[in-house]
Amino acid sequence: MKILQVVGFSNSGKTTLLEKLITQGRAKGMKLATIKHHGHGSPLTALDKGKDSYKHRQAGAVASAVSSNGELQVQMSKPAPWRLEDIFSLYRSLHLDGVFIEGYKHELYAKIVLLKDEKEAVLLRELQKVIAVIVWEDAAQLQQIVDVPVFTIHEEERYLSYLINWLEV
């Protein structure tokens, strides 16, 4: 199972990129999953607020699942934060081709970095395992200081092809 992180500051295009990667990967027959980091500190809103599974959690269940026609919605809580490895252990039974992680900037998985402007390039100094960069502005200057491919946001076909190929290898 290949793991690719998509990182960048807020509103840099992470979710949009993931939607496109998932669509292209699915078109090639890949089984993909995602993990999104909710870094705002507030509790997550229950997907089923007011339904029976919500009532189960309110009563003290640490996990609640709803199953219907091949779909499963699970909400789980535990006393410590969820580590990526904890989530991967749940995903392993799905026999995935790849997992896309949105966020978790400092984890040590291969990552693509999205940069909206020059100021955001500071991220490149603090991150490890960067395999490519997508910039919203001119890529020429950045390409001179990093040793990974740099794409502009307008080169969608090129960077999607590069990333899907990376997943397939």
Side-chain angles (χ1 to χ4, degrees):
M1 169 172 83
K2 287 277 210 117
I3 299 168
L4 178 64
Q5 289 181 259
V6 176
V7 302
F9 290 110
S10 187
N11 296 315
S12 61
K14 298 180 299 289
T15 302
T16 301
L17 174 59
L18 282 173
E19 289 174 304
K20 291 174 182 179
L21 281 170
I22 294 164
T23 299
Q24 290 228 346
R26 290 288 301 145
K28 290 184 160 268
M30 299 173 117
K31 285 178 62 178
L32 304 166
T34 63
I35 300 170
K36 179 172 174 38
H37 183 243
H38 177 71
H40 305 291
S42 59
L44 297 176
T45 303
L47 298 174
D48 61 349
K49 198 162 191 148
K51 301 292 185 182
D52 291 347
S53 56
Y54 175 77
K55 292 174 184 175
H56 300 166
R57 284 191 311 284
Q58 291 300 104
V62 296
S64 176
V66 179
S67 173
S68 174
N69 291 334
E71 291 185 324
L72 179 68
Q73 179 189 61
V74 178
Q75 190 160 346
M76 302 172 75
S77 57
K78 62 183 212 161
W82 284 88
R83 297 174 311 123
L84 284 174
E85 275 306 316
D86 299 331
I87 302 168
F88 293 150
S89 68
L90 297 172
Y91 277 10
R92 282 191 183 91
S93 67
L94 300 175
H95 307 289
L96 301 168
D97 295 305
V99 175
F100 297 123
I101 302 168
E102 184 175 338
Y104 291 93
K105 287 182 182 96
H106 299 288
E107 292 289 333
L108 297 177
Y109 298 99
K111 57 184 62 73
I112 181 151
V113 181
L114 286 103
L115 304 173
K116 270 193 112 164
D117 59 45
E118 227 175 85
K119 300 181 300 236
E120 294 182 358
V122 68
L123 264 182
L124 297 173
R125 284 187 232 122
E126 58 186 68
L127 299 177
Q128 296 179 40
K129 295 196 158 210
V130 174
I131 64 163
V133 179
I134 299 174
V135 297
W136 284 59
E137 297 177 353
D138 182 31
Q141 190 175 23
L142 187 58
Q143 186 64 70
Q144 295 173 6
I145 59 173
V146 297
D147 60 353
V148 297
V150 177
F151 304 96
T152 67
I153 198 77
H154 305 292
E155 297 177 291
E156 184 174 300
E157 189 175 310
R158 283 189 60 226
Y159 61 74
L160 289 174
S161 175
Y162 174 82
L163 294 169
I164 293 296
N165 184 59
W166 182 88
L167 277 172
E168 292 178 314
V169 174

